Amino acid sequence: MNITVQSIRFNADQKLIEFIKKKTGKLEQFLDSIIGGECYLRLENVDDEANKISEIKLNIPGSQLFAKGQAKSFEEATDIAVESLRRQINKHKTKTKIQSLLIAKKYFP
């Protein structure tokens, strides 16, 4: 899977980019047909310590999955977003299986 990491208004170091690619790469264990993805890293201008945001968008056949994580560090925010995407992938797979079973019952009673 090819993932593009973009940092908005700051320069992300290579270590952070590799961490994000490693974490998002693990999502292929749950769904083989991931086409690619984009990750946006931003800093919010708020007084709260949890001002680092990681937004991840995955392209899968017929759909897109999106998750956003906000935490004290970009690594934590990425973990939150990846976990959310993992749950979305499981829901997507369940929904797809149910639809294929319903179609099979309709045509092969």
Side-chain angles (χ1 to χ4, degrees), residues 23-24 27 56 67 77-87:
K23 282 290 189 177
T24 54
L27 291 172
I56 302 173
T78 301
D79 281 339
I80 293 167
V82 167
E83 182 60 27
S84 176
L85 285 170
R86 187 190 62 76
R87 287 192 304 269

Side-chain angles (χ1 to χ4, degrees), residues 63-76:
S63 185
Q64 279 188 343
L65 303 177
F66 179 81
K68 178 179 178 179
Q70 184 169 353
K72 292 180 182 179
S73 71
F74 284 115
E75 289 84 1
E76 283 182 71

Side-chain angles (χ1 to χ4, degrees), residues 37-77:
E38 299 169 9
C39 178
Y40 300 100
L41 303 172
R42 302 190 272 126
L43 287 169
E44 281 286 306
N45 292 332
V46 294
D47 294 332
D48 190 17
E49 284 184 25
N51 65 343
K52 293 169 182 67
I53 298 174
S54 177
E55 298 174 343
I56 302 173
K57 180 172 64 171
L58 289 181
N59 297 317
I60 60 174
S63 185
Q64 279 188 343
L65 303 177
F66 179 81
K68 178 179 178 179
Q70 184 169 353
K72 292 180 182 179
S73 71
F74 284 115
E75 289 84 1
E76 283 182 71

